Amino acid sequence: MPKRVDHAERRTEIAKALVRVASHRGLHAVGMRDVAAEAGVSLRLVQYYFETKEKLLLYGLQHLVERFAERVAARSRAAGDDRGPRAMIEALLMASLPTDEESRAFHLVYTSYAVLAVTDQALAAQPFIWNPDAAEDTLTELLRQAQEADLVQPGVDVQLEAVSLLAMSAGLGTSVLVGQRSPQSAATVLNHHLDRIFQTSGNGSLTQQARE
Amino acid sequence: MPKRVDHAERRTEIAKALVRVASHRGLHAVGMRDVAAEAGVSLRLVQYYFETKEKLLLYGLQHLVERFAERVAARSRAAGDDRGPRAMIEALLMASLPTDEESRAFHLVYTSYAVLAVTDQALAAQPFIWNPDAAEDTLTELLRQAQEADLVQPGVDVQLEAVSLLAMSAGLGTSVLVGQRSPQSAATVLNHHLDRIFQTSGNGSLTQQARE
DNA sequence: ACCGACGTGGTACGTTCGTACCACGAAGAT
DNA sequence: ATCTTCGTGGTACGAACGTACCACGTCGGT
C-alpha cells in the first residue's frame, strides 16, 4: 500500500495537528503521541517525518507564521487598494486580533512560542521566523504613503505611530485572548487611534478639540 | 533541631525559588526537584509546604503578583504626589517595563502564567489574582484627576487612553522581553503618548500642530 | 517525664515522555 | 526477477516527573 507520499504535504498536516492540539491543551502539554493521535497517524510516523521533537516544534512555528502571513495578506487584499491606505491598515490591525477561533489559536500558540523562545535558545535562533520588524516596516511604509497623500494629521511621527499601533494591537490581542476584553472593544480602541492619526474625513469626532 | 518554623516565610522563600528557576529555564520546565534545589531544601520539604505541584504554581503566581504590586507601589510613592499625576502615571507605566533583571523575570513568568491560564482552568479560576482591571481602574482614576485639574488636553477620553496606555505598555514590554526593542525605545514611545495626552508644559513638541 | 504532633530526610512507585530498535510489505531501479 | 530503498507499525528502553510511603529526631503540651 505504501505509494510514494508527498513529504511536504504530510509534514504540513502533522504541523496542523500540532497547532490544533497546542491550542486546546497548551503548547507545553503537547507530546508526540498527542500530535500523532490528532493527525490520525502512528507515533512512528511523526518520528519518521520529524526525527526529533525539537524539529517538530520548529516546523510548527514556521507553519504557524506562514499561515498567519497568508491570512493577513488575504485580508489586506480583500480590503485592498480601492478603499485607500487607511482601510488597509485597519484590515492589517484587525487581522491581528483574536476574533474567530482560528486567530485565537494563532495568538495563543504564537505567544507560547514567544515565551518559550526567551529561555530556549534553539527557538530564539530562528532568524527567518522571528521577524516582527517586518510588520513594523510594512505599517510604517503604509503610514508614510498616507502621509504623502496628505491623509494624515500634520506633525505625526509615522514610525512612532506604527510602533504604537502594533504594540497596542499586541497588548489588546492578549487581553482579548485571556477573556479580559471583547474583540469589539479592542477594535474600538484601535479605530479611535486611527481616527486620531488620520485626517478627519466626513464626521468629526472625540479627539478633535471641537471648535464648533 | 526542628524548631517551630514560620510556614508563611518558608512558603515565600520556596515561591521565590520557583520564580527564579522559572525565569531561567522557563515555567514549563520547572519541576519540584528544581525548586527544591534552588531553594536549598529537600524535595520532601517542598512537598510538605505545598502538597501538590498545582498548589505550588498557584502560590507562585500569587507571590509574583504581590511582589509586583509592591514594586509598582514603591515606584509610585517614590515619584509621588510632589511632582503631580503625570509623574505618577509615568512611574506606573515605566515600572511595568522589563528594564532590570527583576522586572524581566516578572514579565516572563507572568506572561507564562497568562498563557498557561488560557488552557488550564485551575489557573484561570483565580479571581483575586487575575485582576488586571485594577490597573485599568487605577490609571483611569489618575487620568480623571489630572483632567479635573485641567492638566490634560481637551476632548480626551480618559478611559480609552488608560486602556490604550496599558495595552501599549504590555505590548512594548513583550517586545523588550524578546529582545526586539530596547527599554529606552519603549519608554520613548510611552512618553510621546503622555505628551500627547497631557497639556504641553514648557516645551512644545512633535504632536502639536505647532502654531509657533 | 511521657506522648502526640511537627519538621525533615530518603526513597520507592507508577506514569509519561522522547527516542531507538526491529520487522515487514510494497514499490521503483537494475 | 531480484534488490534496495521507502513508508509504516509495534514496542521496548531509559530518564524524569509528581506523588506516596516510611522512618526518625525534636519540640510543646499535660
Side-chain angles (χ1 to χ4, degrees):
Chain A
M1 218 177 288
K3 54 190 172 205
R4 222 41 149 259
V5 95
D6 185 1
H7 271 222
E9 184 182 346
R10 194 75 83 128
R11 285 164 64 94
T12 298
E13 203 164 338
I14 294 178
K16 278 164 65 177
L18 163 66
V19 173
R20 231 176 299 138
V21 56
S23 71
H24 289 138
R25 290 203 274 272
L27 186 61
H28 69 284
V30 300
M32 314 207 73
R33 287 169 176 84
D34 304 293
V35 176
E38 176 72 26
V41 298
S42 75
L43 168 62
R44 183 63 182 84
L45 261 277
V46 181
Q47 267 192 279
Y48 182 70
Y49 290 105
F50 307 89
E51 277 127 52
T52 175
K53 186 188 183 181
E54 189 177 48
K55 293 181 183 174
L56 171 61
L57 287 176
L58 255 36
Y59 189 84
L61 174 57
Q62 185 177 338
H63 171 74
L64 198 68
V65 172
E66 285 169 3
R67 295 277 282 189
F68 183 66
E70 289 171 12
R71 181 192 169 96
V72 171
R75 291 237 194 164
S76 295
R77 222 179 302 112
D81 310 311
D82 49 344
R83 286 207 332 262
R86 153 134 192 196
M88 184 102 71
I89 292 176
E90 199 174 318
L92 193 144
L93 291 176
M94 296 308 164
S96 306
L97 249 42
T99 51
D100 52 23
E101 207 49 49
E102 184 189 356
S103 61
R104 261 190 69 87
F106 168 79
H107 253 80
L108 173 60
V109 182
Y110 187 77
T111 308
S112 303
Y113 271 112
V115 169
L116 220 58
V118 177
T119 47
D120 187 74
Q121 57 169 357
L123 229 50
Q126 291 294 93
F128 50 99
I129 300 290
W130 219 261
N131 189 11
D133 296 322
E136 187 179 319
D137 293 344
T138 303
L139 187 51
T140 304
E141 178 57 24
L142 283 172
L143 281 175
R144 218 182 45 73
Q145 287 177 226
Q147 193 178 41
E148 286 179 355
D150 258 343
L151 290 171
V152 314
Q153 297 275 1
V156 166
D157 185 339
V158 291
Q159 164 103 38
L160 189 140
E161 294 293 353
V163 172
S164 305
L165 286 171
L166 284 176
M168 237 184 296
S169 175
L172 290 170
T174 308
S175 292
V176 172
L177 192 65
V178 300
Q180 182 192 166
R181 186 171 303 281
S182 74
Q184 291 80 11
S185 165
T188 302
V189 174
L190 285 175
N191 267 316
H192 174 91
H193 286 278
L194 289 179
D195 284 340
R196 172 176 62 78
I197 293 171
F198 280 81
Q199 292 279 11
T200 166
S201 59
N203 66 335
S205 87
L206 301 159
T207 44
Q208 300 301 98
Q209 42 258 56
R211 179 105 58 98
E212 215 69 49
Chain B
M1 220 175 286
K3 53 191 171 205
R4 224 41 150 257
V5 95
D6 185 2
H7 272 222
E9 184 182 346
R10 194 76 82 126
R11 286 164 65 93
T12 298
E13 202 164 338
I14 295 179
K16 278 164 66 178
L18 163 66
V19 173
R20 229 175 300 137
V21 56
S23 71
H24 290 138
R25 288 205 275 273
L27 186 61
H28 69 284
V30 300
M32 314 207 72
R33 287 168 175 84
D34 304 293
V35 176
E38 176 71 27
V41 299
S42 75
L43 167 63
R44 182 63 183 85
L45 260 281
V46 181
Q47 267 193 279
Y48 182 70
Y49 290 105
F50 307 89
E51 277 127 51
T52 174
K53 186 188 183 182
E54 189 178 49
K55 295 181 182 173
L56 171 61
L57 287 177
L58 256 35
Y59 190 84
L61 174 58
Q62 185 177 338
H63 171 74
L64 198 69
V65 172
E66 286 169 2
R67 294 278 282 188
F68 183 66
E70 289 171 13
R71 181 192 169 94
V72 171
R75 291 237 195 164
S76 296
R77 224 178 302 112
D81 310 312
D82 49 343
R83 286 207 334 261
R86 153 133 192 195
M88 183 101 72
I89 293 176
E90 199 172 317
L92 193 145
L93 291 176
M94 296 308 164
S96 308
L97 249 42
T99 52
D100 52 22
E101 207 50 48
E102 184 190 357
S103 60
R104 261 190 70 87
F106 169 79
H107 252 78
L108 173 60
V109 182
Y110 186 79
T111 308
S112 302
Y113 271 112
V115 168
L116 220 57
V118 177
T119 47
D120 188 78
Q121 55 169 358
L123 228 51
Q126 291 294 94
F128 51 98
I129 299 291
W130 219 261
N131 189 12
D133 297 323
E136 187 178 320
D137 294 344
T138 303
L139 187 51
T140 304
E141 178 58 24
L142 282 172
L143 281 175
R144 218 183 45 74
Q145 286 176 226
Q147 192 178 42
E148 286 181 356
D150 257 345
L151 290 172
V152 313
Q153 296 276 359
V156 166
D157 184 340
V158 290
Q159 165 103 37
L160 189 140
E161 294 293 353
V163 172
S164 304
L165 285 172
L166 284 175
M168 238 183 296
S169 174
L172 290 171
T174 308
S175 292
V176 172
L177 190 65
V178 301
Q180 182 191 168
R181 186 170 304 281
S182 76
Q184 292 81 10
S185 164
T188 301
V189 174
L190 285 175
N191 269 315
H192 175 91
H193 287 278
L194 289 179
D195 284 340
R196 173 177 62 77
I197 294 171
F198 280 81
Q199 292 278 14
T200 166
S201 60
N203 66 335
S205 85
L206 302 159
T207 45
Q208 300 302 102
Q209 44 257 57
R211 183 110 55 97
E212 214 69 52

